[in-house]
Amino acid sequence: MTTITADLFPTSPLALRTADPAKQARVRLFAAEQAMAAATVRDILLKTLAATRNLAERQAVMRTAHQEVTTWRYTLAARATGRLGTGIAYSAERFRTPITASTTNYDRLGPVGRLRDGATWDGPSHTYRGGTATPAYDAMATYGKEAAARFAS
């Protein structure tokens, strides 16, 4: 059986909304929590699925496992003091709201100023100004360039 480790959960650059290496390291530690949760769910699934007799039972087991993981992630988010960065208000509820239930589930592509560490809101221009680039900012800028190039061809 494959050992589930933190290495299997690389941190998305979109989670790295700070230029501070110490804060980035703290964000990356979440991979260890993900690995522990994944190993627990895997063990439960292996044991439970081995005892199921039909498709309906297997589907019920999978739905239950998904709900337990969703609840685990929501509980962690509810305990958090917020996310790093500026802009959109933090809401733990988004971790248990299905994508299909949200009418505002989108991300801007391109240089998103609120993802710059220390950026400040400029009312007259309706943009974030200044700050230091973060991995999240760089990723969104790259994604924006790639999307523009794709639509240009």
Side-chain angles (χ1 to χ4, degrees), residues 54-144:
N54 59 50
L55 179 62
E57 287 179 359
R58 294 177 75 79
Q59 289 172 330
V61 167
M62 296 300 286
R63 276 192 291 280
T64 299
H66 178 263
Q67 185 56 50
E68 288 177 11
V69 170
T70 300
T71 300
W72 164 80
R73 185 62 185 97
Y74 168 77
T75 302
L76 288 179
R79 285 197 316 245
T81 57
R83 70 174 170 216
L84 297 170
T86 305
I88 299 169
Y90 179 77
S91 170
E93 194 59 40
R94 71 187 185 90
F95 289 97
R96 63 179 179 188
T97 302
I99 291 173
T100 55
S102 175
T103 58
T104 58
N105 185 29
Y106 61 88
D107 285 315
R108 286 184 49 215
L109 295 175
V112 180
R114 69 179 172 78
L115 297 177
R116 292 178 66 82
D117 200 4
T120 56
W121 180 251
D122 178 60
S125 69
H126 296 277
T127 61
Y128 283 90
R129 302 278 183 167
T132 305
T134 65
Y137 176 84
D138 292 338
M140 292 305 281
T142 298
Y143 299 160

Side-chain angles (χ1 to χ4, degrees), residues 18-57:
T18 177
D20 182 333
K23 289 179 180 177
Q24 287 183 5
R26 184 177 58 82
V27 171
R28 286 187 173 102
L29 287 175
F30 184 61
E33 291 190 53
Q34 289 175 299
M36 286 189 297
T40 299
V41 170
R42 180 213 44 216
D43 294 346
I44 291 169
L45 285 173
L46 287 173
K47 179 181 175 186
T48 309
L49 289 174
T52 59
R53 293 180 300 278
N54 59 50
L55 179 62
E57 287 179 359

